[in-house]
């Protein structure tokens, strides 16, 4: 009987302290919370759920099968287009990504690599993941409206 009791205690302790099965959150949720914290740091006043509502947009057209999306920074926007298309669409204004000026005054640059939109300070060697490209993919929608 003691063997079963000790076995139960060991299994319980392993499950409760040794694994993340009770507190695991998705990679998407973790990234969203990091971006929410950045928004709070630059002045957003509201809960995580309220912030999520502010970043939702209208559903768009289904993506073109087999085409990659290209991103560029131009005219104060991060813009996108399907590979091979000629028209660029505004994704997000750069000013909405910027907070107060940093103490070092460094500019940032963006790229798309390894499935992420990445950023780095100009002159740095290390790229940091901003958001996964998969996060930008949504359900089939009605259309995309450019400004």
């Amino acid at each position: 009987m003691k063997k079963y009791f000790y076995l139960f205690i060991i299994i319980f302790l392993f499950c409760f302290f040794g694994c993340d099965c009770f507190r695991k959150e998705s990679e998407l949720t973790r990234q969203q919370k990091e971006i929410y914290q950045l928004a709070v740091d630059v002045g957003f006043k509201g809960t995580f759920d309220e912030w999520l509502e502010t970043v939702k947009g209208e559903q768009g057209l289904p993506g073109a099968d087999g085409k990659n999306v290209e991103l560029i920074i131009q005219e104060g926007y991060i813009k996108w287009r399907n590979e091979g298309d000629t028209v660029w669409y505004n994704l997000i204004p750069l000013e909405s990504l910027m907070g107060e000026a940093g103490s070092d005054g460094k500019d940032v640059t963006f790229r798309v690599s390894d499935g992420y939109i990445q950023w780095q300070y100009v002159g740095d060697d290390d790229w940091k993941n901003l958001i996964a490209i998969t996060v930008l993919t949504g359900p089939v929608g009605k259309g995309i409206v450019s400004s």
Side-chain angles (χ1 to χ4, degrees):
M1 183 70 172
K2 281 185 175 181
K3 286 194 298 187
Y4 292 115
F5 177 73
Y6 289 127
L7 180 61
F8 173 76
I9 294 295
I10 290 171
I11 292 171
F12 173 78
L13 291 174
F14 172 76
C15 286
F16 193 72
F17 294 108
C19 74
D20 289 337
C21 51
F22 296 110
R23 56 187 175 268
K24 192 168 208 149
E25 63 185 15
S26 72
E27 178 69 13
L28 172 60
T29 302
R30 187 187 63 72
Q31 289 174 349
Q32 288 172 333
K33 287 181 179 179
E34 287 176 9
I35 296 170
Y36 165 71
Q37 188 57 52
L38 289 172
V40 168
D41 291 347
V42 297
F44 179 79
K45 306 256 189 269
T47 66
F48 176 73
D49 290 332
E50 290 169 334
W51 172 79
L52 277 178
E53 286 300 316
T54 68
V55 297
K56 286 183 182 177
E58 294 181 25
Q59 290 184 343
L61 291 172
D65 292 332
K67 289 188 176 180
N68 289 322
V69 172
E70 299 175 310
L71 297 172
I72 189 172
I73 297 175
Q74 190 177 56
E75 300 167 354
Y77 284 88
I78 296 177
K79 296 184 173 203
W80 72 273
R81 71 176 180 187
N82 286 318
E83 190 174 50
D85 287 356
T86 57
V87 178
W88 288 92
Y89 299 97
N90 294 338
L91 178 62
I92 189 165
L94 289 176
E95 67 186 27
S96 71
L97 299 175
M98 296 179 193
E100 295 177 22
S103 58
D104 58 12
K106 291 184 177 179
D107 289 328
V108 296
T109 186
F110 297 90
R111 74 174 184 186
V112 177
S113 182
D114 301 322
Y116 288 89
I117 296 176
Q118 298 177 326
W119 71 275
Q120 72 174 176
Y121 289 112
V122 172
D124 283 358
D125 294 327
D126 297 323
W127 288 91
K128 296 163 190 71
N129 293 338
L130 176 62
I131 191 165
I133 298 300
T134 56
V135 173
L136 302 175
T137 305
V140 174
K142 295 180 182 178
I144 297 174
V145 178
S146 65
S147 332

